[in-house]
Amino acid sequence: MSTAATTPEPREQARPEGATRIVIVGGVAGGMSCAARARRLDESAEIVVLERGAHVSFANCGLPYHVGDEIHDADRLLVQTPQSLRAALDLDVRTGHEVTAVDVERQSVRVQTSEGAFDLGYDALVLAPGARATRPPIEGLDSPRVRTLRTVEDAVALRGLVDDGARRAVVLGAGFIGLEAAEALAHRGVDVTIVELAAHVLPPLEHELAHLVTQELRSLGVTVRAGVSATAIEPGDDQDVVVLADGTRIDADLVVLSVGVRPNTEVFEASGIECERGAIVVDEHGRTSADKVWAVGDAVVSTDAVTGLRRPVPLAGPANRAGRLVADDILRPGTARAIPTPLGTAIVRVGALTAATTGANRAALALAGRAFRTLHLHPLQHAGYFPGASQMHLVVHVDADSGLVLGAQGVGHDGVDKRIDVLATAIRSHLHIGDLIDLDLAYSPPYGQAKDAVNLAGMVGSNVMDGTLRLWYAEDLDQVRQEALLLDTRTAQEYATGHLPGSLHIPHTELRGRLDEVREAAQGRPVRVLCASGVRSAIAHRVLTQAGFDSASLSGGMLTLRAALGDRAGHALVTPELVPA
C-alpha cells in the first residue's frame, strides 16, 4: 500500500499578500469537505490542512470491507492524496503534522512533526480532529492481539492477522462498526464471538428489531453475548483469553475493540476552547467560543433534531455537510446557511439483512420526556405477486398529540434503505404521519407496491391518531393476560405454529358470526386482538368496536411479539400438534 511522504515545515511560511490563510486541523470527512469548498469559493486563499496520520482522505466506512476481502486492495480506500489534492484544488496538505496547542490570542497553532515543531498562524482555524476508540478499564487491553478499526492501518493490521492464521476473534461492542467487523471476520471463516454490555446488539435499534439482527448473526455462525461485559484480557503465548463478567472465558487469536468513541479534543480544551463532556461546543454555523475558530465532525456537540438532546454524532454524512457550510461561513458569512441539526440516520448490513434507523428511538424520546406512539408494520418491499418479494419490519414513532413523525427504524432483506431515506426526509420536513399517505412514490411491481410501505405507515398512523385503530403492545403482554381476553384471529394452521396460552381462537373471517362466543369468553373484560402482522386484527378490532367491545389490536402482531420476546418466545408460546391443512 502506498503512503505519501511530506516534508515538514521548519518555520511559518510568509503569507501571500492579501490572502486569507485557512488552517484546518484534521482531514477525512469534515476537514477535507471544508477545504475543498473553501477553495471553490476563494481561489486566492491559502488553505493548509494538518493531519497527524498518514492519510488525509480515506474511506473509513469501507475499512471493514477490506478486512472481509470485499475490497481487496487497501489503496482503493485512499480517496485522495496530498499530491492529488494539490493538483486538483491547490491545497497545502501536510500529513504527519500534529497540532499540540492553539494560541487563540495570537491566532496560531503549534505543530509537531518528526523533524521538530513550529508555529503556524491563521486567519481562520477549523478543527476537525475526529474521535478515537474508547478504551474501557479492562485489564490486558495492551495485548498486541487487541485491535481497533478506525484507520487504514487498523484495517490492514486486522486483515494481516487473519491472513496469518487467526481463526478465533472476539469483538467487544455490537454497535455499527462492531457488527461490520464481526460480519467481515465471519466472512473470512473466523469463529467470532461478539460481546455487548447493553441488553441487545445495535443498542440504538429497538429491541424487537435488534432480535432479528441477532438471529442473522447466529446464522452467520457468530456467537452473541449481550447483557454482559468483558472484565479482562489475559495475554498468552499462542492466544489471549477474554474473561467476561459472568465468568465465561473465550479463547481469541485477535480482539477487536469497538465499544464507542470519544472526541480528540484535549489539546483544544486546554487552549480554552469551550467543550461539553469532551466535545467542542459550537453555534449553528460551527463557530466555537474562540474568535476565528470553527469546528466540525465527530468531535463536536450536536443538538438532536427531534429531542433536543446534545451529543456528538460520529457519522460521515453530517460531518461532510457541516464542513461545507463552515467554509461558507468563513468566506461568505452574510449568506451562509446554518448547519442543520442531525437526525442520526445510519444503516448497516449484517449478512443478508439491512438494519437502518433515523430520528429518535424509544430511549431518546423517553429521556427527552416526549410523549409518543409507536407503529409496527411488516409490509413487502415490492408487489407480492412479483418474484422475490420479502418482508420488511418497520417501527415508526410519532408524537402522541400531533402525529409528527419523530423516528423510524427498519430491518429486512431488501428495500429498507429506500424507506428509511424517505422517512428521514419526512422527519426533516416536519411531516405528520397522515402526510405520508399523500407521498407520490415510484411504483412498479419489481420496486414497490401501489400502497408503498411508507404510505401504509401513514394510513395506519392516521387511523391511530383519529381513533379508528387502537393499539396494544408486546411489552404490555403480562398486564393484558391478567386483565383482558386475548383473541387470536389467525388461521388454524397459523395458530398451531405457536399461540399465547389461554387465548381464544377465532379466524377473522368467522368473527362476525361468532361474536357471542367472544362475549361469553370475555365476561365483560376488554378484548385484545392479535394476528400475524396486525392487518387482520385491525379488521377484527373494527368489528368488535362497532359491536360494543372494549377492543385493541396488537401492534405488529405475532411477528413483533415473537421478536420482542426474543429467545423467550419458545417458552411463552404454546405449540400443539400441527393442524392438518
PDB file of all heavy atoms in Angstrom, residues 22 67 178 258 276 313 426 468 548 562:
ATOM      1  N   ILE A  22      -6.432  29.859   5.791  1.00  0.00           N
ATOM      2  CA  ILE A  22      -7.345  28.965   6.494  1.00  0.00           C
ATOM      3  C   ILE A  22      -6.561  27.712   6.877  1.00  0.00           C
ATOM      4  O   ILE A  22      -6.043  27.005   6.006  1.00  0.00           O
ATOM      5  CB  ILE A  22      -8.553  28.588   5.612  1.00  0.00           C
ATOM      6  CG1 ILE A  22      -9.312  29.831   5.164  1.00  0.00           C
ATOM      7  CG2 ILE A  22      -9.487  27.631   6.361  1.00  0.00           C
ATOM      8  CD1 ILE A  22     -10.407  29.562   4.149  1.00  0.00           C
ATOM      9  N   VAL A  67     -11.125  -5.717   5.500  1.00  0.00           N
ATOM     10  CA  VAL A  67     -10.862  -6.856   6.389  1.00  0.00           C
ATOM     11  C   VAL A  67     -11.550  -8.110   5.859  1.00  0.00           C
ATOM     12  O   VAL A  67     -10.988  -9.205   5.872  1.00  0.00           O
ATOM     13  CB  VAL A  67     -11.336  -6.548   7.824  1.00  0.00           C
ATOM     14  CG1 VAL A  67     -11.146  -7.769   8.731  1.00  0.00           C
ATOM     15  CG2 VAL A  67     -10.595  -5.341   8.394  1.00  0.00           C
ATOM     16  N   GLY A 178     -18.802  -2.508  15.208  1.00  0.00           N
ATOM     17  CA  GLY A 178     -18.603  -3.840  15.760  1.00  0.00           C
ATOM     18  C   GLY A 178     -19.283  -4.919  14.934  1.00  0.00           C
ATOM     19  O   GLY A 178     -18.710  -5.985  14.676  1.00  0.00           O
ATOM     20  N   SER A 258     -14.356  -2.167  20.014  1.00  0.00           N
ATOM     21  CA  SER A 258     -15.303  -1.288  19.334  1.00  0.00           C
ATOM     22  C   SER A 258     -16.456  -0.949  20.266  1.00  0.00           C
ATOM     23  O   SER A 258     -17.623  -1.195  19.960  1.00  0.00           O
ATOM     24  CB  SER A 258     -15.828  -1.966  18.050  1.00  0.00           C
ATOM     25  OG  SER A 258     -16.698  -1.119  17.364  1.00  0.00           O
ATOM     26  N   GLU A 276     -17.993  20.460  26.048  1.00  0.00           N
ATOM     27  CA  GLU A 276     -19.050  19.900  26.883  1.00  0.00           C
ATOM     28  C   GLU A 276     -18.913  18.390  26.885  1.00  0.00           C
ATOM     29  O   GLU A 276     -19.059  17.750  25.852  1.00  0.00           O
ATOM     30  CB  GLU A 276     -20.411  20.318  26.309  1.00  0.00           C
ATOM     31  CG  GLU A 276     -21.621  19.885  27.104  1.00  0.00           C
ATOM     32  CD  GLU A 276     -22.908  20.393  26.462  1.00  0.00           C
ATOM     33  OE1 GLU A 276     -23.053  21.617  26.298  1.00  0.00           O
ATOM     34  OE2 GLU A 276     -23.765  19.548  26.121  1.00  0.00           O
ATOM     35  N   VAL A 313     -22.289  13.313  17.127  1.00  0.00           N
ATOM     36  CA  VAL A 313     -22.873  12.389  16.155  1.00  0.00           C
ATOM     37  C   VAL A 313     -21.750  11.965  15.205  1.00  0.00           C
ATOM     38  O   VAL A 313     -21.455  12.663  14.226  1.00  0.00           O
ATOM     39  CB  VAL A 313     -24.038  13.033  15.378  1.00  0.00           C
ATOM     40  CG1 VAL A 313     -24.581  12.068  14.324  1.00  0.00           C
ATOM     41  CG2 VAL A 313     -25.145  13.454  16.339  1.00  0.00           C
ATOM     42  N   ALA A 426     -39.006  12.869   5.574  1.00  0.00           N
ATOM     43  CA  ALA A 426     -40.260  13.285   6.209  1.00  0.00           C
ATOM     44  C   ALA A 426     -40.000  13.953   7.556  1.00  0.00           C
ATOM     45  O   ALA A 426     -40.624  14.970   7.890  1.00  0.00           O
ATOM     46  CB  ALA A 426     -41.180  12.078   6.381  1.00  0.00           C
ATOM     47  N   THR A 468     -59.607   5.512  14.918  1.00  0.00           N
ATOM     48  CA  THR A 468     -60.149   4.379  14.166  1.00  0.00           C
ATOM     49  C   THR A 468     -59.481   3.074  14.584  1.00  0.00           C
ATOM     50  O   THR A 468     -60.112   2.017  14.612  1.00  0.00           O
ATOM     51  CB  THR A 468     -59.950   4.608  12.653  1.00  0.00           C
ATOM     52  OG1 THR A 468     -60.602   5.824  12.272  1.00  0.00           O
ATOM     53  CG2 THR A 468     -60.509   3.458  11.828  1.00  0.00           C
ATOM     54  N   GLY A 548     -69.621  -3.056  20.250  1.00  0.00           N
ATOM     55  CA  GLY A 548     -69.677  -2.613  21.632  1.00  0.00           C
ATOM     56  C   GLY A 548     -68.586  -3.128  22.547  1.00  0.00           C
ATOM     57  O   GLY A 548     -68.634  -2.893  23.760  1.00  0.00           O
ATOM     58  N   ARG A 562     -43.170 -12.113  18.775  1.00  0.00           N
ATOM     59  CA  ARG A 562     -42.087 -13.107  18.819  1.00  0.00           C
ATOM     60  C   ARG A 562     -40.728 -12.421  18.924  1.00  0.00           C
ATOM     61  O   ARG A 562     -39.856 -12.849  19.687  1.00  0.00           O
ATOM     62  CB  ARG A 562     -42.130 -13.990  17.574  1.00  0.00           C
ATOM     63  CG  ARG A 562     -43.222 -15.046  17.570  1.00  0.00           C
ATOM     64  CD  ARG A 562     -43.122 -15.908  16.312  1.00  0.00           C
ATOM     65  NE  ARG A 562     -44.125 -16.955  16.263  1.00  0.00           N
ATOM     66  CZ  ARG A 562     -44.000 -18.156  16.816  1.00  0.00           C
ATOM     67  NH1 ARG A 562     -42.893 -18.453  17.480  1.00  0.00           N
ATOM     68  NH2 ARG A 562     -44.963 -19.052  16.716  1.00  0.00           N
TER      69      ARG A 562
END
